[in-house]
Amino acid sequence: MAIAARKTKAGAPAKAAGKTPAKAAARTAKGDSKAIPNTPVFDKEEELHAYREMLLIRRFEEKAGQMYGMGLIGGFCHLYIGQEAVVIGMQMASKEGDQIITGYRDHGHMLACGMESRGVMAELTGRRGGYSRGKGGSMHMFSREKNFYGGHGIVGAQVSLGAGLGFANWYRQDGRVSMAYFGDGAANQGQVYESFNMAQLWKLPVVFVIENNRYAMGTSVNRASAQTDFSRRGVSFGIPGEQVDGMDVRAVRAAGQRAIDHARSGKGPYILEMQTYRYRGHSMSDPAKYRSKDEVQRMREEHDPIEQVRGRLTREHKIGEDEFKAIDAKVREIVNDAAEFATHDPEPDVSELFTDILLEPAQA
């Protein structure tokens, strides 16, 4: 259930894992830095929209983690807690018809593009009311209606598919832009660079969004990547890139608008490195012992994307505690309803094992 309109009309990398996200710094195709406008100011309605949408993702993911612990969700489950500003800021910059494709940390992306909480949660619990009728689980959901082309379990696979969506848009000349999300770990996959090459060669309308949460599956970027400035990964192909404070929804929307406008205008792909942070482990089975509790606590206290918005709403728009409590109560009502539905919805019929395997011929 949507709780607000989903769209509006609209630096060097950290050397150590505990440092704050770098300020935005764009790069030309040659790799040179260029000036970036200051972080824009949101009006009250934009701040409230961002706050509600990010809070929905946060509360949904907290509930999913709880249900996983109770054994109601099986298999792998990757939570998006801490990274909410990335997808919400990008959605605020996008237009109706633009597409999203991502990896397996995908629940937040689904909610951001307007997929119903009930359907997402029911898919997590393997129920027939889920978006993939209970057969996809946490990592494999899809909604053509909402232009969400899936969470994908193969690391980096969505980047090639995202380029394919961009090719379809280019071929049809429909004015749409594909946004392909992937992480710092997936950024080292070979197919990513094949996709970069094709996208730039044909000037495809694709924005490659690298969600750099610093640890991939559990290894720091400084130990796994020779080039830790992911905004430069397209330099050899002539693709412009930009580093963005992925914990600030305003910075994300501003960068998203620049990137999407670039792609939509026929100039080809654009790379956005979102410097963000996940509070939980890689998946629910990951104890995250490769980083300190102090580091996580520091990020929560100093850079939390939701608390930043809450602070501005309090200081600049005089939003009181009662209104924040009302917003949180509404969000919790939506999430609790989704959990209740996902717990009691029937499991799929055994016959579903044989559906969606082959493309059935059209009936005359």
Side-chain angles (χ1 to χ4, degrees):
M1 180 184 295
I3 62 173
R6 292 285 168 181
K7 297 186 175 60
T8 63
K9 297 293 183 186
K15 295 297 183 181
K19 294 190 177 181
T20 62
K23 293 182 179 179
R27 300 189 181 277
T28 65
K30 294 181 179 180
D32 301 322
S33 295
K34 62 181 180 181
I36 287 299
N38 293 330
T39 300
V41 176
F42 275 11
D43 61 29
K44 180 180 178 181
E45 291 308 311
E46 289 170 327
E47 295 278 29
L48 282 170
H49 168 82
Y51 183 78
R52 292 189 189 104
E53 299 299 285
M54 289 194 293
L55 190 63
L56 175 61
I57 295 174
R58 178 72 58 88
R59 296 291 181 251
F60 183 96
E61 293 289 67
E62 289 171 346
K63 178 61 75 172
Q66 181 184 46
M67 293 175 69
Y68 187 94
M70 296 168 62
L72 296 171
I73 296 173
F76 288 101
C77 184
H78 307 81
L79 303 182
Y80 200 63
I81 297 173
Q83 299 182 214
E84 297 91 350
V86 175
V87 72
I88 294 302
M90 288 300 297
Q91 283 303 98
M92 292 178 76
S94 69
K95 292 183 178 179
E96 189 70 31
D98 291 342
Q99 303 123 327
I100 290 180
I101 189 167
T102 188
Y104 39 73
R105 196 179 308 280
D106 51 3
H107 315 153
H109 302 75
M110 300 172 200
L111 296 172
C113 67
M115 293 168 67
E116 294 290 333
S117 298
R118 275 188 166 197
V120 177
M121 194 70 85
E123 187 60 41
L124 295 183
T125 58
R127 306 306 172 107
R128 67 175 61 174
Y131 271 97
S132 296
R133 295 200 288 276
K135 299 188 292 183
S138 173
M139 298 195 292
H140 304 103
M141 287 186 239
F142 184 96
S143 175
R144 186 169 184 177
E145 176 192 3
K146 299 297 183 181
N147 293 302
F148 180 78
Y149 286 82
H152 294 267
I154 298 176
V155 176
Q158 73 274 20
V159 182
S160 299
L161 296 173
L165 289 169
F167 176 79
N169 298 334
W170 171 82
Y171 185 82
R172 295 168 181 151
Q173 293 295 296
D174 57 18
R176 296 181 173 187
V177 172
S178 164
M179 290 170 282
Y181 292 80
F182 55 107
D184 49 286
N188 293 324
Q189 289 284 324
Q191 60 192 312
V192 170
Y193 299 93
E194 296 177 69
S195 302
F196 285 177
N197 184 62
M198 180 176 288
Q200 179 67 348
L201 186 65
W202 291 345
K203 303 297 182 185
L204 302 182
V206 182
V207 176
F208 296 107
V209 184
I210 303 175
E211 298 192 78
N212 179 7
N213 62 28
R214 309 185 188 194
Y215 290 103
M217 287 184 68
T219 303
S220 168
V221 294
N222 298 304
R223 296 179 57 216
S225 298
Q227 171 56 274
T228 58
D229 182 345
F230 292 93
S231 70
R232 296 177 59 87
R233 292 299 183 96
V235 167
S236 63
F237 304 100
I239 302 176
E242 182 175 337
Q243 286 185 321
V244 186
D245 181 354
M247 305 299 275
D248 187 335
V249 69
R250 302 168 304 170
V252 173
R253 190 187 72 170
Q257 287 176 331
R258 291 190 290 272
I260 291 171
D261 289 347
H262 176 96
R264 205 185 308 277
S265 66
K267 296 178 182 178
Y270 202 99
I271 294 173
L272 293 176
E273 179 197 346
M274 299 294 178
Q275 296 192 330
T276 186
Y277 196 84
R278 55 173 166 78
Y279 297 163
R280 302 290 184 93
H282 172 68
S283 70
M284 287 297 296
S285 60
D286 173 19
K289 294 182 178 179
Y290 40 81
R291 60 185 183 182
S292 70
K293 293 181 179 179
D294 288 344
E295 178 186 306
V296 179
Q297 187 63 27
R298 183 167 60 251
M299 291 298 296
R300 281 183 175 273
E301 292 177 353
E302 299 177 7
H303 302 286
D304 186 80
I306 299 174
E307 289 303 316
Q308 288 186 56
V309 178
R310 182 186 175 108
R312 292 194 299 269
L313 283 168
T314 301
R315 294 188 306 270
E316 300 165 20
H317 302 289
K318 311 305 178 186
I319 299 296
E321 188 63 26
D322 288 344
E323 188 165 350
F324 285 122
K325 287 181 178 179
I327 293 171
D328 191 57
K330 180 62 177 176
V331 168
R332 289 181 185 276
E333 179 184 340
I334 293 168
V335 171
N336 289 336
D337 171 75
E340 183 72 13
F341 175 77
T343 302
H344 297 98
D345 189 47
E347 294 183 354
D349 189 80
V350 175
S351 62
E352 283 288 349
L353 289 170
F354 305 99
T355 62
D356 304 316
I357 297 173
L358 301 174
L359 180 63
E360 299 294 337
Q363 298 297 319

